[in-house]
Amino acid sequence: MACQKAHFENQILELYNKISNLKSLKPSKNVDTLFQQLMTTCLPTETNIDVKKLCPKVQDIRTNLIKLRSEAIGYSEQHFSTVLGSLKDNPLTHLDLYPYYTNYLKLSKVEFDLLMLHTSHVPTKIAFVGSGSLPFTSIILAKFHLPNTTFHNFDIDPQANSLASQLVSRDPDLSCRIIFHTMDIINATEILRDYEVVFLASLVGVDKEAKVKVIEHLEKHMAPGALLMLRSAKGLRAFLYIDVDPCDLRSFEVLETYHPSLSDGFVNSVMVARKLSD
């Protein structure tokens, strides 16, 4: 066990050193290879390593490693969204050009099943916070699972929303049902009460403090009884995404937490919580 822990610590420190010294995090063979190695390192087949017991040096780099990976993902999604948006026909018929599209299909199916398990009716209005340049979750849910639901995507980046809107603009159905809002979700107040379900993307909140701040804002403004679908991480996967503990959701009732296995084909844990009465 100690040997396994020391091996992971050495691996993660070596990767962090290489990644943090990259001149650019935009898509390239070197960038893609390093982040793929990071994924492999954080998704071992078997491990009993306790993240809280890792050496202080490794603990200290965890948040910054997540920030670097988040920036790299942003560049990658921006690149592929630009490519898809430049196609002559409907970009939504070519989403599989994105290397991780299948992962999103699997994650969205699990989230849809969890949502249906914990709601008494099919939601008509859903918000997705942190939709980015490639709003796969909204697109997949709207296209394959919720054909009569309207999706409101919130992102702070105007360029991301511009690219994302181009992806759905040529689709006669989704162009009417997927709406984009360019704003910091912290500035959204009364509008949040309109949604029966709010999805919170895994990369919203660059550190635990920022993530909790967003959750507390949602707690304050979501309608009582509305569902929060929150993506988190467990174990070593917390070097890829911010991990959220049920105790961070003080004004919510946590209904279920789904931790994926390696066979699931995606990384995120999914937490379902219901907003308590004001």
Side-chain angles (χ1 to χ4, degrees):
M1 176 64 185
C3 181
Q4 186 185 43
K5 174 175 170 286
H7 180 64
F8 173 78
E9 290 173 337
N10 289 333
Q11 277 188 307
I12 209 76
L13 287 170
E14 182 181 349
L15 280 168
Y16 175 73
N17 184 55
K18 290 179 179 178
I19 291 170
S20 60
N21 283 294
L22 288 168
K23 292 181 179 179
S24 171
L25 292 173
K26 292 182 178 180
S28 69
K29 185 175 181 180
N30 192 26
V31 170
D32 295 346
T33 298
L34 285 172
F35 280 105
Q36 187 57 52
Q37 289 174 358
L38 176 63
M39 286 277 288
T40 303
T41 301
C42 296
L43 296 172
T45 51
E46 289 185 23
T47 183
N48 293 312
I49 298 173
D50 185 346
V51 172
K52 295 178 182 177
K53 294 181 180 179
L54 293 171
C55 73
K57 191 173 182 180
V58 170
Q59 295 283 5
D60 290 343
I61 68 167
R62 182 153 64 104
T63 295
N64 205 36
L65 193 55
I66 292 171
K67 289 178 183 178
L68 290 167
R69 184 169 174 271
S70 176
E71 185 178 347
I73 289 174
Y75 283 131
S76 176
E77 292 188 352
Q78 185 181 90
H79 167 73
F80 279 100
S81 187
T82 301
V83 170
L84 287 165
S86 68
L87 299 175
K88 292 182 179 180
D89 55 344
N90 188 344
L92 300 187
T93 61
H94 301 283
L95 295 180
D96 56 356
L97 290 175
Y98 185 65
Y100 301 107
Y101 175 60
T102 301
N103 302 59
Y104 275 99
L105 285 173
K106 294 175 179 178
L107 172 59
S108 298
K109 177 61 167 64
V110 167
E111 290 178 324
F112 170 73
D113 289 343
L114 289 170
L115 176 60
M116 290 299 98
L117 191 63
H118 293 288
T119 186
S120 58
H121 64 282
V122 177
T124 59
K125 204 171 182 182
I126 291 177
F128 192 98
V129 180
S131 48
S133 303
L134 288 175
F136 277 132
T137 301
S138 298
I139 290 171
I140 292 167
L141 289 176
K143 191 174 182 181
F144 300 115
H145 303 297
L146 295 166
N148 298 307
T149 301
T150 300
F151 293 80
H152 289 248
N153 290 344
F154 290 81
D155 202 282
I156 197 171
D157 183 357
Q159 184 181 12
N161 269 348
S162 176
L163 288 169
S165 62
Q166 289 178 37
L167 296 181
V168 301
S169 62
R170 280 174 272 170
D171 188 278
D173 174 30
L174 298 197
S175 61
C176 298
R177 291 197 293 122
I178 298 183
I179 299 159
F180 296 91
H181 303 269
T182 302
M183 64 188 304
D184 187 335
I185 198 62
I186 295 299
N187 296 325
T189 54
E190 289 85 359
I191 191 176
L192 290 172
R193 297 185 74 87
D194 295 340
Y195 304 110
E196 300 148 277
V197 182
V198 176
F199 280 79
L200 182 60
S202 51
L203 294 176
V204 171
V206 293
D207 54 34
K208 184 62 176 283
E209 183 181 353
K211 175 76 79 174
V212 171
K213 182 180 178 181
V214 172
I215 292 171
E216 289 175 344
H217 180 77
L218 295 175
E219 287 176 346
K220 185 177 180 181
H221 295 288
M222 283 174 61
L227 292 182
L228 175 65
M229 304 290 292
L230 186 149
R231 294 172 183 173
S232 181
K234 181 185 180 185
L236 299 183
R237 299 171 191 227
F239 281 85
L240 304 173
Y241 300 104
I242 300 293
D243 57 324
V244 179
D245 192 89
C247 67
D248 295 322
L249 284 74
R250 290 177 295 180
S251 296
F252 288 92
E253 176 192 2
V254 177
L255 303 173
E256 186 169 351
T257 302
Y258 183 94
H259 296 300
S261 64
L262 284 175
S263 62
D264 278 318
F266 57 88
V267 175
N268 297 108
S269 298
V270 180
M271 194 178 294
V272 187
R274 178 173 286 115
K275 173 68 165 47
L276 299 174
S277 300
D278 294 333

